[in-house]
Amino acid sequence: KSNRREPFHRFDAGKCTTTLLAIFEALIPPADEEKRRKQLLTSLDELVSGIWSEARLFLFGSCANAFGVCNSDIDVCLSIEGESATRSEVVCTLAEALKANHMQNVQALTHARVPIVKYSDPKTGISCDVCVNNMLAVVNTKLLHDYAQIDVRLRQLAFIVKHWAKCRQVNETYRGTLSSYAYVLMCIHFLQQRRPPVLPCLQEMEPTYRVTVGDIDCAYFDKVDNLKGFGQQNKETLADLVWSFFDYWAFRHDYTHTVISIRTGKYLSKVEKDWTRRIGNECHLICIEDPFEVSHDLGRVVDKHSIRVLRDEFRRAARIMQQEVNPCPALFEPY
Ligand code: CTP
Ligand code: MG
């Protein structure tokens, strides 16, 4: 397998990095987007407090994890302790209240694995997904956010990979490709593996942050200000990293035997996770361990057909990075 990679690429690392950084900058949300989000959150907070006095709202997902591009929807978790109604019932109650409050496109998805209400706020023009008591998502959002503070190259690489995945239509879980969350985990793991490493493994360090969600103990080192400069020994440019990332997933990853795990900062074997067979709809053709819900494989949505689509796209991207003098236009060419 390894003979498929020639030792040189044709792009100039400096020039290609400049182009990639310009794309990254253009994807960063403008400052006023933050303001509009706060506005939406304030009015949602008023609404839910009127129904459930104990209710609290938490942002999660790309609007809070540092990996959000402009114009993305916002993800909100409504936390109500000691509520006897089911999550679906809460979702229905909230949907009615939002409609009465003149919100648009209100939809209650009560049968989803995680019940949510979708709506858009006419005042801010923002679309919002609200779920109920999904605190694990809030905690993994903080973990991703903390990783992003350690080395700027993580945020840059993840923006580029997410943008590529959207352009190439391989960021669609309902069609068997990977979620944005999965791509960010792949980027973190990749940067933990560089030699010298660009990122540490926060869950393997002495915990400074600890919460329990259900029966899951979430603990890791979160004093990331102390880790600024961690990756300085590694001099790779963004272009080098993008090239190596695609080369890794195209030609080097052992899809048959291994699981990537940011929790351990290592590779695990599918055998030790018992992810060797298909159970129901869950396949394990590409294995990405969730950092806290360790029985959860983010790759389980990928099936026999979509794994080919995905691996073809990784190979396409790797070849472009390998062969083109100016790889960006072809890399992000809409599918
Ligand atoms: N999440 C999760 N488990 C999953 C998928 C998602 O816990 N299998 C949670 C994570 O907290 C993640 C959030 O849901 O940050 C949103 O997921 P996703 O939409 O994939 O990522 P975003 O960062 O919101 O990306 P996008 O910009 O594409 O909306
Ligand atoms: Mg999202």
PDB file of all heavy atoms in Angstrom, residues 156-179:
ATOM      1  N   GLN A 156      -8.046  25.223  11.620  1.00  0.00           N
ATOM      2  CA  GLN A 156      -7.839  25.428  10.181  1.00  0.00           C
ATOM      3  C   GLN A 156      -8.048  24.127   9.403  1.00  0.00           C
ATOM      4  O   GLN A 156      -8.782  24.096   8.408  1.00  0.00           O
ATOM      5  CB  GLN A 156      -6.416  25.972   9.938  1.00  0.00           C
ATOM      6  CG  GLN A 156      -6.217  27.361  10.535  1.00  0.00           C
ATOM      7  CD  GLN A 156      -4.757  27.781  10.626  1.00  0.00           C
ATOM      8  OE1 GLN A 156      -3.841  26.971  10.420  1.00  0.00           O
ATOM      9  NE2 GLN A 156      -4.523  29.049  10.948  1.00  0.00           N
ATOM     10  N   LEU A 157      -7.413  23.065   9.868  1.00  0.00           N
ATOM     11  CA  LEU A 157      -7.551  21.774   9.185  1.00  0.00           C
ATOM     12  C   LEU A 157      -9.010  21.319   9.179  1.00  0.00           C
ATOM     13  O   LEU A 157      -9.541  20.885   8.143  1.00  0.00           O
ATOM     14  CB  LEU A 157      -6.672  20.720   9.874  1.00  0.00           C
ATOM     15  CG  LEU A 157      -6.800  19.289   9.340  1.00  0.00           C
ATOM     16  CD1 LEU A 157      -6.283  19.180   7.902  1.00  0.00           C
ATOM     17  CD2 LEU A 157      -6.031  18.297  10.240  1.00  0.00           C
ATOM     18  N   ALA A 158      -9.689  21.449  10.323  1.00  0.00           N
ATOM     19  CA  ALA A 158     -11.076  20.975  10.419  1.00  0.00           C
ATOM     20  C   ALA A 158     -12.011  21.789   9.517  1.00  0.00           C
ATOM     21  O   ALA A 158     -12.913  21.231   8.893  1.00  0.00           O
ATOM     22  CB  ALA A 158     -11.546  21.006  11.872  1.00  0.00           C
ATOM     23  N   PHE A 159     -11.804  23.093   9.436  1.00  0.00           N
ATOM     24  CA  PHE A 159     -12.611  23.908   8.523  1.00  0.00           C
ATOM     25  C   PHE A 159     -12.420  23.440   7.079  1.00  0.00           C
ATOM     26  O   PHE A 159     -13.381  23.324   6.320  1.00  0.00           O
ATOM     27  CB  PHE A 159     -12.205  25.395   8.614  1.00  0.00           C
ATOM     28  CG  PHE A 159     -13.005  26.213   9.588  1.00  0.00           C
ATOM     29  CD1 PHE A 159     -13.083  25.865  10.924  1.00  0.00           C
ATOM     30  CD2 PHE A 159     -13.670  27.364   9.170  1.00  0.00           C
ATOM     31  CE1 PHE A 159     -13.809  26.648  11.827  1.00  0.00           C
ATOM     32  CE2 PHE A 159     -14.398  28.149  10.069  1.00  0.00           C
ATOM     33  CZ  PHE A 159     -14.465  27.792  11.391  1.00  0.00           C
ATOM     34  N   ILE A 160     -11.172  23.202   6.709  1.00  0.00           N
ATOM     35  CA  ILE A 160     -10.876  22.766   5.339  1.00  0.00           C
ATOM     36  C   ILE A 160     -11.509  21.395   5.062  1.00  0.00           C
ATOM     37  O   ILE A 160     -12.141  21.184   4.022  1.00  0.00           O
ATOM     38  CB  ILE A 160      -9.334  22.738   5.102  1.00  0.00           C
ATOM     39  CG1 ILE A 160      -8.755  24.165   5.159  1.00  0.00           C
ATOM     40  CG2 ILE A 160      -8.969  22.035   3.794  1.00  0.00           C
ATOM     41  CD1 ILE A 160      -9.294  25.135   4.118  1.00  0.00           C
ATOM     42  N   VAL A 161     -11.374  20.478   6.006  1.00  0.00           N
ATOM     43  CA  VAL A 161     -11.930  19.131   5.814  1.00  0.00           C
ATOM     44  C   VAL A 161     -13.466  19.186   5.761  1.00  0.00           C
ATOM     45  O   VAL A 161     -14.091  18.563   4.894  1.00  0.00           O
ATOM     46  CB  VAL A 161     -11.441  18.160   6.919  1.00  0.00           C
ATOM     47  CG1 VAL A 161     -12.202  16.843   6.878  1.00  0.00           C
ATOM     48  CG2 VAL A 161      -9.942  17.913   6.781  1.00  0.00           C
ATOM     49  N   LYS A 162     -14.081  19.971   6.670  1.00  0.00           N
ATOM     50  CA  LYS A 162     -15.550  20.097   6.641  1.00  0.00           C
ATOM     51  C   LYS A 162     -16.021  20.739   5.332  1.00  0.00           C
ATOM     52  O   LYS A 162     -17.029  20.318   4.759  1.00  0.00           O
ATOM     53  CB  LYS A 162     -16.036  20.959   7.821  1.00  0.00           C
ATOM     54  CG  LYS A 162     -16.241  20.186   9.121  1.00  0.00           C
ATOM     55  CD  LYS A 162     -16.682  21.104  10.266  1.00  0.00           C
ATOM     56  CE  LYS A 162     -18.056  21.717  10.046  1.00  0.00           C
ATOM     57  NZ  LYS A 162     -18.521  22.473  11.260  1.00  0.00           N
ATOM     58  N   HIS A 163     -15.289  21.746   4.883  1.00  0.00           N
ATOM     59  CA  HIS A 163     -15.653  22.424   3.638  1.00  0.00           C
ATOM     60  C   HIS A 163     -15.528  21.460   2.453  1.00  0.00           C
ATOM     61  O   HIS A 163     -16.428  21.355   1.609  1.00  0.00           O
ATOM     62  CB  HIS A 163     -14.743  23.642   3.447  1.00  0.00           C
ATOM     63  CG  HIS A 163     -15.040  24.442   2.219  1.00  0.00           C
ATOM     64  ND1 HIS A 163     -16.306  24.921   1.940  1.00  0.00           N
ATOM     65  CD2 HIS A 163     -14.239  24.851   1.190  1.00  0.00           C
ATOM     66  CE1 HIS A 163     -16.263  25.590   0.789  1.00  0.00           C
ATOM     67  NE2 HIS A 163     -15.035  25.554   0.318  1.00  0.00           N
ATOM     68  N   TRP A 164     -14.440  20.704   2.431  1.00  0.00           N
ATOM     69  CA  TRP A 164     -14.256  19.686   1.395  1.00  0.00           C
ATOM     70  C   TRP A 164     -15.413  18.677   1.430  1.00  0.00           C
ATOM     71  O   TRP A 164     -16.016  18.359   0.399  1.00  0.00           O
ATOM     72  CB  TRP A 164     -12.901  18.976   1.610  1.00  0.00           C
ATOM     73  CG  TRP A 164     -12.778  17.675   0.893  1.00  0.00           C
ATOM     74  CD1 TRP A 164     -12.420  17.484  -0.414  1.00  0.00           C
ATOM     75  CD2 TRP A 164     -13.040  16.363   1.436  1.00  0.00           C
ATOM     76  NE1 TRP A 164     -12.446  16.142  -0.710  1.00  0.00           N
ATOM     77  CE2 TRP A 164     -12.815  15.445   0.399  1.00  0.00           C
ATOM     78  CE3 TRP A 164     -13.432  15.898   2.693  1.00  0.00           C
ATOM     79  CZ2 TRP A 164     -12.978  14.063   0.590  1.00  0.00           C
ATOM     80  CZ3 TRP A 164     -13.598  14.532   2.883  1.00  0.00           C
ATOM     81  CH2 TRP A 164     -13.365  13.626   1.823  1.00  0.00           C
ATOM     82  N   ALA A 165     -15.764  18.218   2.633  1.00  0.00           N
ATOM     83  CA  ALA A 165     -16.812  17.197   2.773  1.00  0.00           C
ATOM     84  C   ALA A 165     -18.164  17.731   2.290  1.00  0.00           C
ATOM     85  O   ALA A 165     -18.958  16.988   1.702  1.00  0.00           O
ATOM     86  CB  ALA A 165     -16.902  16.728   4.225  1.00  0.00           C
ATOM     87  N   LYS A 166     -18.418  19.020   2.537  1.00  0.00           N
ATOM     88  CA  LYS A 166     -19.679  19.606   2.070  1.00  0.00           C
ATOM     89  C   LYS A 166     -19.666  19.750   0.559  1.00  0.00           C
ATOM     90  O   LYS A 166     -20.644  19.400  -0.110  1.00  0.00           O
ATOM     91  CB  LYS A 166     -19.935  20.947   2.759  1.00  0.00           C
ATOM     92  CG  LYS A 166     -20.312  20.705   4.214  1.00  0.00           C
ATOM     93  CD  LYS A 166     -20.862  21.869   4.975  1.00  0.00           C
ATOM     94  CE  LYS A 166     -21.387  21.285   6.293  1.00  0.00           C
ATOM     95  NZ  LYS A 166     -21.023  21.962   7.491  1.00  0.00           N
ATOM     96  N   CYS A 167     -18.551  20.234  -0.001  1.00  0.00           N
ATOM     97  CA  CYS A 167     -18.453  20.385  -1.456  1.00  0.00           C
ATOM     98  C   CYS A 167     -18.611  19.039  -2.167  1.00  0.00           C
ATOM     99  O   CYS A 167     -19.234  18.954  -3.218  1.00  0.00           O
ATOM    100  CB  CYS A 167     -17.094  20.977  -1.856  1.00  0.00           C
ATOM    101  SG  CYS A 167     -16.872  22.676  -1.342  1.00  0.00           S
ATOM    102  N   ARG A 168     -18.041  17.990  -1.583  1.00  0.00           N
ATOM    103  CA  ARG A 168     -18.043  16.675  -2.227  1.00  0.00           C
ATOM    104  C   ARG A 168     -19.230  15.812  -1.789  1.00  0.00           C
ATOM    105  O   ARG A 168     -19.306  14.632  -2.119  1.00  0.00           O
ATOM    106  CB  ARG A 168     -16.722  15.947  -1.933  1.00  0.00           C
ATOM    107  CG  ARG A 168     -15.471  16.683  -2.388  1.00  0.00           C
ATOM    108  CD  ARG A 168     -15.453  17.005  -3.875  1.00  0.00           C
ATOM    109  NE  ARG A 168     -15.559  15.790  -4.680  1.00  0.00           N
ATOM    110  CZ  ARG A 168     -15.771  15.778  -6.002  1.00  0.00           C
ATOM    111  NH1 ARG A 168     -15.913  16.924  -6.657  1.00  0.00           N
ATOM    112  NH2 ARG A 168     -15.861  14.633  -6.646  1.00  0.00           N
ATOM    113  N   GLN A 169     -20.125  16.378  -1.010  1.00  0.00           N
ATOM    114  CA  GLN A 169     -21.325  15.680  -0.536  1.00  0.00           C
ATOM    115  C   GLN A 169     -21.042  14.393   0.233  1.00  0.00           C
ATOM    116  O   GLN A 169     -21.718  13.384   0.053  1.00  0.00           O
ATOM    117  CB  GLN A 169     -22.286  15.407  -1.708  1.00  0.00           C
ATOM    118  CG  GLN A 169     -22.811  16.702  -2.307  1.00  0.00           C
ATOM    119  CD  GLN A 169     -23.843  16.464  -3.400  1.00  0.00           C
ATOM    120  OE1 GLN A 169     -24.439  15.393  -3.502  1.00  0.00           O
ATOM    121  NE2 GLN A 169     -24.064  17.475  -4.217  1.00  0.00           N
ATOM    122  N   VAL A 170     -20.019  14.443   1.074  1.00  0.00           N
ATOM    123  CA  VAL A 170     -19.756  13.286   1.944  1.00  0.00           C
ATOM    124  C   VAL A 170     -19.898  13.690   3.412  1.00  0.00           C
ATOM    125  O   VAL A 170     -19.220  13.180   4.282  1.00  0.00           O
ATOM    126  CB  VAL A 170     -18.373  12.634   1.666  1.00  0.00           C
ATOM    127  CG1 VAL A 170     -18.417  11.837   0.373  1.00  0.00           C
ATOM    128  CG2 VAL A 170     -17.243  13.668   1.621  1.00  0.00           C
ATOM    129  N   ASN A 171     -20.834  14.628   3.675  1.00  0.00           N
ATOM    130  CA  ASN A 171     -21.119  15.089   5.033  1.00  0.00           C
ATOM    131  C   ASN A 171     -22.633  14.956   5.249  1.00  0.00           C
ATOM    132  O   ASN A 171     -23.301  15.872   5.662  1.00  0.00           O
ATOM    133  CB  ASN A 171     -20.645  16.554   5.157  1.00  0.00           C
ATOM    134  CG  ASN A 171     -20.888  17.194   6.518  1.00  0.00           C
ATOM    135  OD1 ASN A 171     -21.035  18.411   6.610  1.00  0.00           O
ATOM    136  ND2 ASN A 171     -20.930  16.414   7.582  1.00  0.00           N
ATOM    137  N   GLU A 172     -23.167  13.766   4.911  1.00  0.00           N
ATOM    138  CA  GLU A 172     -24.612  13.567   4.949  1.00  0.00           C
ATOM    139  C   GLU A 172     -24.921  12.237   5.618  1.00  0.00           C
ATOM    140  O   GLU A 172     -24.938  11.192   4.969  1.00  0.00           O
ATOM    141  CB  GLU A 172     -25.147  13.607   3.507  1.00  0.00           C
ATOM    142  CG  GLU A 172     -24.939  14.980   2.882  1.00  0.00           C
ATOM    143  CD  GLU A 172     -25.179  15.029   1.377  1.00  0.00           C
ATOM    144  OE1 GLU A 172     -25.115  13.982   0.711  1.00  0.00           O
ATOM    145  OE2 GLU A 172     -25.424  16.137   0.882  1.00  0.00           O
ATOM    146  N   THR A 173     -25.150  12.277   6.935  1.00  0.00           N
ATOM    147  CA  THR A 173     -25.331  11.017   7.668  1.00  0.00           C
ATOM    148  C   THR A 173     -26.550  10.241   7.181  1.00  0.00           C
ATOM    149  O   THR A 173     -26.546   9.018   7.198  1.00  0.00           O
ATOM    150  CB  THR A 173     -25.467  11.267   9.187  1.00  0.00           C
ATOM    151  OG1 THR A 173     -26.358  12.357   9.390  1.00  0.00           O
ATOM    152  CG2 THR A 173     -24.138  11.621   9.809  1.00  0.00           C
ATOM    153  N   TYR A 174     -27.583  10.952   6.714  1.00  0.00           N
ATOM    154  CA  TYR A 174     -28.778  10.239   6.250  1.00  0.00           C
ATOM    155  C   TYR A 174     -28.490   9.482   4.955  1.00  0.00           C
ATOM    156  O   TYR A 174     -29.246   8.609   4.573  1.00  0.00           O
ATOM    157  CB  TYR A 174     -29.949  11.214   6.061  1.00  0.00           C
ATOM    158  CG  TYR A 174     -29.704  12.271   5.007  1.00  0.00           C
ATOM    159  CD1 TYR A 174     -30.114  12.082   3.688  1.00  0.00           C
ATOM    160  CD2 TYR A 174     -29.029  13.444   5.326  1.00  0.00           C
ATOM    161  CE1 TYR A 174     -29.866  13.043   2.721  1.00  0.00           C
ATOM    162  CE2 TYR A 174     -28.769  14.395   4.363  1.00  0.00           C
ATOM    163  CZ  TYR A 174     -29.190  14.197   3.071  1.00  0.00           C
ATOM    164  OH  TYR A 174     -28.921  15.126   2.107  1.00  0.00           O
ATOM    165  N   ARG A 175     -27.370   9.797   4.285  1.00  0.00           N
ATOM    166  CA  ARG A 175     -26.984   9.030   3.098  1.00  0.00           C
ATOM    167  C   ARG A 175     -25.783   8.128   3.362  1.00  0.00           C
ATOM    168  O   ARG A 175     -25.153   7.630   2.437  1.00  0.00           O
ATOM    169  CB  ARG A 175     -26.678   9.972   1.944  1.00  0.00           C
ATOM    170  CG  ARG A 175     -27.968  10.524   1.336  1.00  0.00           C
ATOM    171  CD  ARG A 175     -27.708  11.653   0.399  1.00  0.00           C
ATOM    172  NE  ARG A 175     -27.055  11.233  -0.839  1.00  0.00           N
ATOM    173  CZ  ARG A 175     -26.743  12.057  -1.824  1.00  0.00           C
ATOM    174  NH1 ARG A 175     -27.014  13.342  -1.715  1.00  0.00           N
ATOM    175  NH2 ARG A 175     -26.157  11.611  -2.912  1.00  0.00           N
ATOM    176  N   GLY A 176     -25.447   7.970   4.643  1.00  0.00           N
ATOM    177  CA  GLY A 176     -24.397   7.012   4.990  1.00  0.00           C
ATOM    178  C   GLY A 176     -22.988   7.565   4.971  1.00  0.00           C
ATOM    179  O   GLY A 176     -22.024   6.795   5.011  1.00  0.00           O
ATOM    180  N   THR A 177     -22.852   8.904   4.885  1.00  0.00           N
ATOM    181  CA  THR A 177     -21.493   9.434   5.046  1.00  0.00           C
ATOM    182  C   THR A 177     -21.374  10.065   6.440  1.00  0.00           C
ATOM    183  O   THR A 177     -22.270   9.913   7.256  1.00  0.00           O
ATOM    184  CB  THR A 177     -21.100  10.373   3.888  1.00  0.00           C
ATOM    185  OG1 THR A 177     -22.085  11.386   3.757  1.00  0.00           O
ATOM    186  CG2 THR A 177     -20.975   9.596   2.586  1.00  0.00           C
ATOM    187  N   LEU A 178     -20.278  10.742   6.715  1.00  0.00           N
ATOM    188  CA  LEU A 178     -19.966  11.079   8.106  1.00  0.00           C
ATOM    189  C   LEU A 178     -20.482  12.445   8.548  1.00  0.00           C
ATOM    190  O   LEU A 178     -20.610  13.368   7.745  1.00  0.00           O
ATOM    191  CB  LEU A 178     -18.443  11.029   8.302  1.00  0.00           C
ATOM    192  CG  LEU A 178     -17.799   9.656   8.072  1.00  0.00           C
ATOM    193  CD1 LEU A 178     -16.279   9.770   8.019  1.00  0.00           C
ATOM    194  CD2 LEU A 178     -18.224   8.672   9.158  1.00  0.00           C
ATOM    195  N   SER A 179     -20.746  12.585   9.841  1.00  0.00           N
ATOM    196  CA  SER A 179     -21.180  13.872  10.411  1.00  0.00           C
ATOM    197  C   SER A 179     -19.977  14.804  10.538  1.00  0.00           C
ATOM    198  O   SER A 179     -18.817  14.362  10.544  1.00  0.00           O
ATOM    199  CB  SER A 179     -21.789  13.645  11.795  1.00  0.00           C
ATOM    200  OG  SER A 179     -20.806  13.173  12.697  1.00  0.00           O
TER     201      SER A 179
END
